[in-house]
Amino acid sequence: MALGFGFAAPKAWAQAWAYRDQGHFHLASYLVDPDDLRGILEDFGRRAHGRAYRDAGDRNDWFHGHFLYAESAKPDARGMMKPYAILYHTQEEASRFHRETPGGRYDYLDRATRNWVQFLETDGERLRSGTILNAFGLMFDFLPDTPAYRRGLEATRSHYTVFAEQLDWRKFPVSHRERAIGMRQFDFDAVECGSAPVPDFVSLIGYLELRLPSAPRLCVRATATTAYLPIESAQGLECTLANDARLEGPPSF
């Protein structure tokens, strides 16, 4: 889930990059190497199974994340920026199933364990999984008292969703302690293993075979589903709205 908070980016080049990306001048496969994404998803999946999700690749459970981009990130020769973290929203439909079939397959495992930030480490040109922290513990204590941020907190109260705009970069690990200036959602949907790939030269990241506790062999089609979205930051704004929507849960995996 993502909220639209406008398109005011801290740096002009970030805004220009966003416009180019919205025009589909870049291929999604340049976002993250498929092999890197495989290892990143498998690490989160192994550590989070049974606490954050039940079934990977299932649109009622865990099927997407949001790449986050650091303020210091610069576009490469292709105009793409490497993400420095991923914000996951698991148990995506749990609020609906909790009302309709409480205690069922897609009901909450735990309301406090459906939002996680996986920080990414760079090894040369490769990306790999790093620290994974509960996003509730990374939220701003106070937020700008604007209609947009009020709507965000209401969604946090009703659906227990932590949005990228609500993350306080000063609570990030020291090696990643800088503002997230933009994000882009990606989905990974389960497909039949060995099925013929469907060409999608704009949004396709790749076909991945994952080995997870929920499925020893899970084949997914990973796609970028949104263009780069600059994030409105609470930094520099008057923060007067107390965050009373934060839940307590396990701090990390």
Side-chain angles (χ1 to χ4, degrees):
M1 299 175 69
L3 294 182
F5 287 96
F7 289 88
K11 297 184 179 180
W13 58 260
Q15 184 64 80
W17 187 86
Y19 288 143
R20 290 200 308 272
D21 189 65
Q22 288 169 342
H24 300 298
F25 285 100
H26 303 288
L27 303 181
S29 57
Y30 289 150
L31 284 167
V32 176
D33 182 276
D35 286 334
D36 291 354
L37 184 58
R38 177 185 297 108
I40 289 165
L41 291 176
E42 286 183 337
D43 187 54
F44 180 85
R46 285 192 296 267
R47 296 158 73 179
H49 182 249
R51 289 198 286 175
Y53 80 99
R54 295 181 181 92
D55 300 300
D58 187 330
R59 285 192 165 259
N60 292 316
D61 200 342
W62 177 43
F63 74 96
H64 82 279
H66 303 265
F67 292 124
L68 303 181
Y69 299 91
E71 186 172 23
S72 65
K74 298 292 191 297
D76 62 16
R78 296 166 299 196
M80 301 301 292
M81 294 189 294
K82 285 185 179 297
Y84 80 140
I86 296 173
L87 170 63
Y88 292 111
H89 297 144
T90 65
Q91 306 175 62
E92 186 71 6
E93 294 296 325
S95 61
R96 175 167 64 88
F97 284 101
H98 182 70
R99 295 190 304 270
E100 297 175 357
T101 55
R105 175 181 178 184
Y106 295 119
D107 194 2
Y108 289 107
L109 279 161
D110 185 340
R111 292 172 174 83
T113 62
R114 65 165 307 250
N115 306 269
W116 296 88
V117 179
Q118 179 182 29
F119 295 92
L120 305 179
E121 305 294 340
T122 302
D123 182 10
E125 291 297 314
R126 310 305 297 269
L127 288 175
R128 57 182 175 83
S129 175
T131 302
I132 301 173
L133 298 178
N134 192 319
F136 275 113
L138 301 175
M139 294 180 75
F140 282 103
D141 298 315
F142 290 85
L143 293 162
D145 192 359
T146 66
Y149 277 96
R150 279 189 172 276
R151 287 195 298 272
L153 279 184
E154 184 55 40
T156 305
R157 295 187 190 99
S158 62
H159 288 73
Y160 310 100
T161 303
V162 177
F163 299 97
E165 293 84 359
Q166 298 170 329
L167 297 176
D168 185 349
W169 61 272
R170 294 166 298 186
K171 297 181 180 181
F172 289 3
V174 173
S175 60
H176 291 75
R177 198 161 290 169
E178 55 181 312
R179 240 180 335 164
I181 64 166
M183 63 181 171
R184 186 171 188 175
Q185 181 171 326
F186 68 97
D187 294 356
F188 48 99
D189 295 293
V191 296
E192 182 180 353
C193 292
S195 58
V198 178
D200 188 338
F201 298 108
V202 173
S203 65
L204 181 65
I205 297 174
Y207 287 83
L208 315 177
E209 183 175 321
L210 306 177
R211 301 186 182 278
L212 300 169
S214 62
R217 187 188 184 205
L218 174 67
C219 297
V220 299
R221 180 175 183 264
T223 55
T225 59
T226 61
Y228 171 91
L229 297 174
I231 294 173
E232 180 180 337
S233 173
Q235 183 181 16
L237 300 176
E238 184 179 2
C239 298
T240 59
L241 183 62
N243 174 16
D244 60 355
R246 181 168 43 225
L247 298 178
E248 294 294 334
S252 63
F253 290 136

